[in-house]
Amino acid sequence: MLSKKQARAFFLGGTLVTFLVFIGLTVYSLSLSQDQSNHENITESVVRGKIIWEENNCMGCHTILGEGAYYAPELTKVIDRLNQKYDGQGEEVIKSILMSEVPWQPNGRKMVAYSMTEQEAEDMIAFFEWIGEIDLNGFDRIVSPLAKDKINN
Amino acid sequence: MKYKSQKVAYWFFALSMLLLVLQIVYGFVMGFARIGLDNLHDFIPFNTARAVHTNLLVVWLLSGFMGAAYYIIPEEAQRELVSVKLAYVQLISLAVVGVVAIVGYHFNYWEGRKFLEIPRPLDFLVVANVLLFLGLILVTLFKGKRRTTTALVLSMGLLFAALLYLPGMLPFDSQVTDSFFRWWVVHLWVEGVWELIMGGILSFLLIKLTGVDREVIEKWLYVIVGLTFLSGVLGTGHHYYYIGVNKIWLIVGGIFSALEPLAFLAMALFAVNMYRKGEKKHPNKLALYWTLGAAIVSFVGAGLLGFAHTLPQTNLYTHGTLVTAMHGHLAFWGAYGMIVLAIISYALPNLTGRKLYQSTRGRAAYWLSNIGMIGMTVAFGVAGVAQVYLERKFGMDFMQVQGEISVHFVVLILCATIFTTGIVLYVIDFYKHGKPNDEALEQTID
Ligand code: HEM
Ligand code: HEM
Ligand SMILES: [Fe+2]
């Protein structure tokens, strides 16, 4: 029968080995050669966009990269999606939503009215443009079936 | 209760009760918003309600864990806490930081990073608070007469939970790396170190309630936490499938996260077997219900419902849908909600000297809250599966799908009402026990 000492060795050994492998894989998958996110395209505007994204907790209603809340649409591919819906006017529509003084509610469900400045809205769009190009291992097609492929052909 | 300083646990439990009730209020705000009753939008928009709901959840659980540690560690170490005064300082500062954060969320003072919304400056206060807590617990443990495995596993869980808070404070320019390290906190907490905390509390309760030999219980405790880390650390990969990092995580995350339910299965089998084996008939049946319930419901909520969407082929479609919310509710409730309510049910009669564990109120609280929560899980699940098919398989527009599934949120609100009735009864029971007192020292049934 298993003794308490053996059980402890199993715990300590298993933890140590998996932890080391985990660190190794983390270093590997975050290394530059494995980058799938076009890291070099993160401009200052994109970074400002990310800060606006966080300061307003947009993730508290929307998902991005499939993470966040399930109350409002996924935004990873939002530009492509709205381009298709509004004849290539996606960016303009996004800007007007963000700069609006009254809550946007095309389907009855309200979004917070952010009254952003033009500059802020453009930073947000830069952020969406960057994030829309990331290679998501196939999720990019599932999450927004309206996007890319359909527009391009 | 054997040591006077254990009384401080009561106040952590009381804080826990208060925050649980508030959490539920904000849950209803979201539930109603989802069926079109969003009248509070100007004051509490959905994202505020959500941040408050999930943060209150984390804080009431942490407060419960801390109370559990203040109750368990003196008894295991066989000595008084090193400083009761500092423990009260820690309690008050925890409450203050919590309240400031929650109030701040109503005024756009937050960081929109799911579960880690507390702004960086407040993070430092959280760290200071937790360091004080750990100091008190660890010094008590090391000055104690004995260092049991139960106490060690519990303290190790609390220590690692504190350390793992730090990666969440690192700043990144890329949303991808930001998300990557956010999971070091969120995933490695709930599918790693919190399971140590749960295991420690579970083993303490089983020793007390079943009378099975400590050596046997603690041996299995090592096996359980061994399984937890063996699967859970690399299982983090199940959050890395589709966020823009290497495909290797599809394989590693898929395999190891599929093994994670084993730890929960082991926990359930362990609790049930110890109960069967135990000769002791402890009169506090209510605490036993909650203890066995936690072990079993966590297997269903975390183990089975987690497995249901953890393989990359499935997660491709369910990632970021209401299927995740279904799993999140039953997993948090079964594993961490119920274990906190279990230790409170056990400790309260001992702290106050009032033995109310025969009451029908206590039983009703148990059954109503569990039945309500299972109903809520089903409501989220039906909505989630419908969402996956309509939106992800058939390509319907997101908001159109939301219209189709809003009826399930009426069911959610009905079940949530049953759940809330149970919780209200539990809180009334808590209140009726009265305050902790030193006379309780002689009346404790071990
Ligand atoms: C007590 C333990 C657990 C708790 C409290 C828990 C809770 C949660 C929560 C709250 C989320 C949503 C996180 C977010 O999007 O920020 C989540 C996601 C997830 N959980 Fe768990 N979980 C537990 C155990 C498990 C286990 C054992 C498995 C696998 C067997 C699992 C599989 C998953 C998966 C695959 C996701 C990602 C869903 C998605 O892609 O949207 N969980 N969990
Ligand atoms: C009256 C009871 C409750 C109601 C009506 C309720 C409702 C909700 C709603 C509507 C959401 C947001 C889902 C979305 O993004 O659209 C949510 C999120 C969440 N709730 Fe509750 N809730 C209740 C109680 C609880 C309890 C008791 C727990 C834990 C034990 C809990 C844990 C969570 C978690 C972890 C999330 C985040 C889930 C995720 O992101 O996947 N809730 N809740
Ligand atoms: Fe996870």
Side-chain angles (χ1 to χ4, degrees):
Chain A
M1 239 335 244
L2 182 82
S3 72
K4 189 168 172 185
K5 236 183 166 161
Q6 287 166 324
R8 184 171 55 204
F10 165 70
F11 166 58
L12 294 174
T15 304
L16 188 69
V17 172
T18 51
F19 182 72
L20 290 176
V21 175
F22 184 58
I23 298 292
L25 283 174
T26 296
V27 172
Y28 167 73
S29 68
L30 293 184
S31 64
L32 272 184
S33 62
Q34 299 302 318
D35 179 43
Q36 302 184 182
S37 72
N38 311 308
H39 203 274
E40 68 284 356
N41 294 349
I42 301 182
T43 58
E44 277 174 25
S45 180
V46 174
V47 175
R48 283 197 301 271
K50 176 171 182 280
I51 292 170
I52 299 171
W53 173 263
E54 282 176 5
E55 282 178 344
N56 294 296
N57 190 14
C58 307
M59 215 189 209
C61 291
H62 297 274
T63 44
I64 198 145
L65 305 177
E67 294 178 359
Y70 321 122
Y71 189 66
E74 158 68 49
L75 296 178
T76 311
K77 288 280 182 186
V78 63
I79 297 185
D80 287 346
R81 190 157 47 77
L82 294 191
N83 267 339
Q84 214 221 352
K85 197 165 167 186
Y86 298 101
D87 284 330
Q89 297 295 303
E91 298 196 1
E92 294 310 310
V93 175
I94 295 173
K95 252 175 147 174
S96 72
I97 297 173
L98 295 177
M99 293 169 66
S100 166
E101 314 256 331
V102 289
W104 162 255
Q105 46 170 332
N107 299 282
R109 207 177 261 185
K110 282 186 191 152
M111 172 163 155
V112 176
Y114 285 109
S115 323
M116 286 188 196
T117 62
E118 177 120 28
Q119 178 67 49
E120 287 170 331
E122 272 164 13
D123 290 339
M124 245 5 282
I125 286 174
F127 176 75
F128 289 137
E129 268 171 352
W130 166 72
I131 214 153
E133 295 298 322
I134 297 177
D135 173 1
L136 296 179
N137 297 338
F139 183 63
D140 21 355
R141 281 190 303 281
I142 300 297
V143 75
S144 186
L146 303 172
K148 274 249 140 58
D149 322 82
K150 287 198 185 159
I151 291 178
N152 293 344
N153 53 48
Chain B
M1 175 171 86
K2 293 187 181 135
Y3 300 91
K4 287 185 183 175
S5 52
Q6 283 174 295
K7 287 203 299 286
V8 68
Y10 175 90
W11 298 103
F12 282 86
F13 293 152
L15 177 63
S16 209
M17 293 288 98
L18 178 70
L19 300 181
L20 165 59
V21 171
L22 275 177
Q23 184 211 346
I24 293 174
V25 172
Y26 283 82
F28 276 109
V29 172
M30 285 190 285
F32 281 113
R34 277 187 157 284
I35 55 170
L37 297 171
D38 193 14
N39 305 342
L40 290 172
H41 178 85
D42 292 342
F43 314 99
I44 311 178
F46 190 89
N47 57 346
T48 298
R50 196 183 210 281
V52 174
H53 183 68
T54 51
N55 281 259
L56 282 173
L57 167 66
V58 173
V59 183
W60 82 258
L61 293 176
L62 285 179
S63 181
F65 292 161
M66 288 172 174
Y70 283 127
Y71 187 87
I72 293 174
I73 296 296
E75 209 153 310
E76 291 287 296
Q78 296 180 334
R79 60 158 292 151
E80 298 281 356
L81 274 179
V82 280
S83 166
V84 176
K85 230 187 243 154
L86 285 177
Y88 281 107
V89 171
Q90 193 249 319
L91 169 75
I92 292 164
S93 58
L94 176 74
V96 170
V97 176
V99 168
V100 171
I102 298 305
V103 173
Y105 295 168
H106 293 76
F107 299 97
N108 235 24
Y109 182 57
W110 52 13
E111 273 168 18
R113 301 164 72 231
K114 191 177 180 186
F115 285 109
L116 307 182
E117 286 91 350
I118 298 185
R120 297 291 201 294
L122 283 183
D123 277 342
F124 289 98
L125 292 181
V126 174
V127 170
N129 182 272
V130 171
L131 283 179
L132 177 56
F133 163 73
L134 282 173
L136 291 170
I137 291 298
L138 295 179
V139 173
T140 306
L141 187 60
F142 283 94
K143 281 191 173 168
K145 290 203 188 67
R146 55 170 197 182
R147 262 161 248 161
T148 62
T149 302
T150 301
L152 280 177
V153 169
L154 176 61
S155 316
M156 215 187 317
L158 292 161
L159 176 67
F160 289 162
L163 288 177
L164 280 170
Y165 193 69
L166 304 177
M169 293 168 65
L170 299 171
F172 296 103
D173 284 343
S174 162
Q175 185 69 25
V176 174
T177 24
D178 198 305
S179 158
F180 192 96
F181 287 101
R182 192 175 67 83
W183 290 114
W184 280 36
V185 191
V186 179
H187 170 96
L188 289 176
W189 265 11
V190 301
E191 288 154 75
V193 297
W194 282 26
E195 283 182 57
L196 264 63
I197 300 173
M198 179 186 177
I201 299 176
L202 188 65
S203 128
F204 175 81
L205 285 167
L206 289 173
I207 291 170
K208 296 287 178 184
L209 295 171
T210 68
V212 174
D213 182 43
R214 176 183 285 278
E215 284 301 300
V216 177
I217 288 191
E218 291 182 338
K219 175 175 85 183
W220 290 111
L221 177 60
Y222 270 132
V223 174
I224 289 167
V225 295
L227 285 173
T228 297
F229 278 160
L230 197 63
S231 59
V233 175
L234 288 169
T236 315
H238 66 181
H239 302 289
Y240 297 160
Y241 298 156
Y242 306 119
I243 64 165
V245 287
N246 200 280
K247 277 204 169 73
I248 191 152
W249 293 109
L250 271 72
I251 299 165
V252 176
I255 293 173
F256 283 87
S257 72
L259 297 173
E260 284 178 35
L262 285 180
F264 288 98
L265 178 64
M267 201 122 54
L269 291 177
F270 162 71
V272 172
N273 275 321
M274 293 306 131
Y275 163 65
R276 289 234 183 95
K277 240 173 112 167
E279 313 262 284
K280 184 162 148 189
K281 292 275 168 278
H282 195 285
N284 192 344
K285 285 280 176 291
L286 215 47
L288 188 67
Y289 273 32
W290 282 106
T291 306
L292 294 179
I296 293 166
V297 180
S298 66
F299 171 61
V300 179
L304 292 181
L305 295 183
F307 185 78
H309 62 155
T310 204
L311 295 177
Q313 298 86 330
T314 330
N315 194 258
L316 179 62
Y317 293 95
T318 60
H319 180 46
T321 63
L322 288 162
V323 169
T324 310
M326 157 199 77
H327 154 71
H329 279 85
L330 200 65
F332 258 114
W333 167 251
Y336 305 121
M338 288 183 77
I339 200 73
V340 166
L341 300 185
I343 184 75
I344 294 179
S345 295
Y346 172 78
L348 213 51
N350 293 343
L351 288 164
T352 61
R354 303 195 66 182
K355 302 182 175 49
L356 303 182
Y357 34 68
Q358 306 289 357
S359 77
T360 25
R361 194 173 44 227
R363 276 162 198 253
Y366 179 84
W367 289 110
L368 288 176
S369 58
N370 274 294
I371 290 168
M373 182 50 84
I374 289 168
M376 286 167 61
T377 308
V378 173
F380 270 123
V382 173
V385 172
Q387 181 192 3
V388 167
Y389 275 92
L390 296 178
E391 185 194 323
R392 302 270 167 99
K393 293 255 190 199
F394 301 136
M396 247 166 97
D397 175 67
F398 177 90
M399 286 306 301
Q400 221 180 328
V401 174
Q402 294 295 308
E404 296 291 330
I405 61 177
S406 73
V407 59
H408 302 299
F409 285 85
V410 177
V411 180
L412 178 87
I413 289 173
L414 289 176
C415 296
T417 310
I418 301 177
F419 172 77
T420 308
T421 312
I423 296 300
V424 168
L425 291 177
Y426 191 97
V427 175
I428 293 176
D429 220 40
F430 185 96
Y431 179 75
K432 296 265 178 187
H433 275 86
K435 302 275 158 54
N437 55 67
D438 290 339
E439 287 84 77
L441 277 174
E442 289 101 60
Q443 296 163 16
T444 292
I445 300 177
D446 199 13

